[in-house]
Amino acid sequence: MLRMDTDRRTQVAIIGAGPSGLLLAQLLHRHGVQSVVLEARSRAYCEARIRAGVIEQGARETLIEAGVGERLEREGLIHGGIYLRFDGESYHIPMDELTAGRSVTIYGQTEVTKDLIAARLQTGEPLLFECDGVEVDGLESGEPVVRYRHAGVEHELHAEFIAGCDGFHGICRPRVPSAELSVWERVYPFAWLGILADVPPSTDELIYARHEHGFALHSMRSAMVSRLYLQVAPDEDLGEWSDDRVWEELSIRLATDGWNLRPGEIIEKSITPMRSFVAAPMRYGPLFLAGDAAHIVPPTGAKGLNLAIADVSLLAEALVDATRGGSSTGIEEYSDRCLRRVWRAQHFSWWMTQMLHVDPRDDAYGAELARSQLRYVCESTAAATSLAENYVGLPLERSPEVSGARG
């Protein structure tokens, strides 16, 4: 028979130990706000998930100020630009020059997660993996409770607030009544076949390429590990893509005079569907949604992780004020403030996606429009600046007092 523990209390219950939930816990801890982090998966699973790797300037600053940026600063690769390739030509977009020195950092989300888990464990505050049967209740009564099983014991966790950082398929968003929730979604008619390769990158900065065969991206995870992607059909059979075929197709789509792609051992291969998704509002009473629980963007714009960091920066500020008996303005404005940034990122991600991918539903007219847009971005300083500003990230709305330590 399972034992029952009904006497656990905290100020903030955080559902999900991805970057958003863990960073929120870190920010709250540095301001003396108690939290418990619950995660359905194992620690090993969370630390092994291969995800995004482009960190905006503001997101980088937030991680450093939160006390989890030591390895990021040491190992992250700072990039001041990107390459756009089409029609066999390569163009460099100098983002740092166009944005007064702002840049992005290449540092895998997997590594961010490891850093945040290590920081949480160092605090000694609760971080529980492999929690089963997680349920959220009491939202309407004003007495939030999270029920879950951990290590054979049934628990009830009472909290002032609940942060739903449990991703697109999590349990928190469905707790918002459908009558209260608006949803916008677009599913794209293509996917990304991604590989992780044990080979040094063949480029100093990311390459985004549009080819008649489809989109390709040359990214990286470190100075010794490459991350590359190919546009494929949503129902593509991964088994049809041998390593040799992957490298051959990448070489074709990324080709330009005087440049060669260096192949190597592929250590991970997967297919990722492409979609845009927004759910609003991002707050329902004492429940707050953050990150993928509230919004998804196609990865072309490199915004998923960065939006999650922006969300929890605002949420931490609001919860610190609320738990100290201060202003409730942050809580009341949380959803609207987040959504302004979310929709800007949605548009940028959609724009990058339609400009760089070959839409199988499109005709020759649509293809020429995309090529015209690419030429304009590469030839116009104004258009390149717009891309650069969005890519490196718009300034975060956050209080320095909350993003750092109070002392």
Side-chain angles (χ1 to χ4, degrees), residues 8-17 21-22 24-26 29 33-39 116-117 119-129 131 148 150 155 157:
R8 194 164 205 174
R9 295 184 178 273
T10 192
Q11 290 174 292
V12 182
I14 301 174
I15 314 299
L22 291 165
L24 177 60
Q26 175 73 1
H29 172 74
V33 178
Q34 299 174 338
S35 66
V36 174
V37 183
L38 307 176
E39 169 60 46
L116 287 166
I117 288 175
R120 180 65 175 182
L121 295 176
Q122 189 173 17
T123 69
E125 296 296 313
L127 169 56
L128 306 178
F129 294 100
C131 295
Y148 64 97
H150 184 256
H155 295 271
L157 175 63

Side-chain angles (χ1 to χ4, degrees), residues 25-357:
Q26 175 73 1
L27 292 172
L28 294 176
H29 172 74
R30 289 169 72 84
H31 293 272
V33 178
Q34 299 174 338
S35 66
V36 174
V37 183
L38 307 176
E39 169 60 46
R41 304 281 192 167
S42 68
R43 177 182 177 181
Y45 178 89
C46 292
E47 291 186 336
R49 284 182 289 194
I50 303 297
R51 292 292 188 270
V54 178
I55 297 177
E56 295 175 355
Q57 177 95 23
R60 173 190 170 93
E61 293 167 358
T62 298
L63 292 167
I64 292 170
E65 292 167 2
V68 290
E70 179 182 353
R71 202 158 63 94
L72 167 66
E73 291 187 279
R74 185 175 69 249
E75 300 177 13
L77 306 176
I78 296 178
H79 284 191
I82 60 171
Y83 296 99
L84 296 178
R85 287 187 183 175
F86 62 101
D87 293 344
E89 299 291 330
S90 189
Y91 302 84
H92 186 249
I93 306 296
M95 299 184 302
D96 51 358
E97 296 178 15
L98 296 168
T99 61
R102 294 175 69 80
S103 59
V104 297
T105 301
I106 307 304
Y107 188 69
Q109 180 173 319
T110 303
E111 306 309 314
V112 174
T113 301
K114 291 177 182 176
D115 295 341
L116 287 166
I117 288 175
R120 180 65 175 182
L121 295 176
Q122 189 173 17
T123 69
E125 296 296 313
L127 169 56
L128 306 178
F129 294 100
E130 301 182 76
C131 295
D132 298 322
V134 180
E135 297 179 354
V136 172
D137 204 355
L139 300 179
E140 291 78 9
S141 69
E143 297 181 358
V145 60
V146 181
R147 298 184 179 89
Y148 64 97
R149 290 186 301 276
H150 184 256
V153 179
E154 295 271 7
H155 295 271
E156 282 190 359
L157 175 63
H158 298 265
E160 296 176 47
F161 302 100
I162 297 174
C165 304
D166 52 344
F168 181 76
H169 298 289
I171 58 98
C172 288
R173 190 178 67 250
R175 285 294 291 112
V176 181
S178 57
E180 303 285 339
L181 196 69
S182 296
V183 171
W184 298 264
E185 185 171 20
R186 172 165 295 179
V187 178
Y188 296 89
F190 36 75
W192 277 12
L193 189 162
I195 65 166
L196 197 66
D198 191 12
V199 60
S202 304
T203 179
D204 59 333
E205 294 177 328
L206 274 64
I207 303 170
Y208 289 80
R210 178 187 171 97
H211 187 273
E212 62 181 356
H213 291 188
F215 168 79
L217 169 62
H218 190 325
S219 183
M220 59 201 71
R221 284 296 175 266
S222 71
M224 299 304 295
V225 178
S226 298
R227 182 74 162 149
L228 301 101
Y229 300 91
L230 287 168
Q231 176 186 342
V232 295
D235 58 352
E236 196 77 21
D237 181 358
L238 193 59
E240 296 293 321
W241 286 86
S242 67
D243 292 2
D244 287 344
R245 183 186 177 193
V246 169
W247 287 117
E248 180 182 4
E249 190 61 27
L250 284 166
S251 296
I252 292 171
R253 298 189 195 185
L254 293 167
T256 191
D257 288 344
W259 180 88
N260 293 301
L261 176 64
R262 184 189 297 117
E265 179 188 1
I266 296 178
I267 55 180
E268 192 268 345
K269 192 186 299 180
S270 62
I271 291 181
T272 302
M274 305 274 283
R275 66 150 41 98
S276 298
F277 175 87
V278 180
M282 292 171 59
R283 175 201 171 200
Y284 177 66
L287 171 67
F288 299 82
L289 304 178
D292 287 359
H295 42 74
I296 299 285
V297 287
T300 326
K303 293 297 167 226
L305 172 61
N306 295 295
L307 280 178
I309 291 174
D311 288 350
V312 298
S313 296
L314 289 176
L315 183 53
E317 180 180 343
L319 292 176
V320 168
D321 282 348
T323 54
R324 287 177 176 164
S327 171
S328 62
T329 301
I331 283 178
E332 293 166 357
E333 296 183 351
Y334 168 72
S335 181
D336 288 342
R337 292 176 70 191
C338 285
L339 287 167
R340 283 196 294 270
R341 188 183 192 89
V342 167
W343 279 112
R344 173 87 296 274
Q346 287 283 339
H347 181 270
F348 177 67
S349 300
W350 165 84
W351 177 76
M352 287 280 284
T353 299
Q354 60 85 28
M355 179 173 66
L356 287 161
H357 289 73

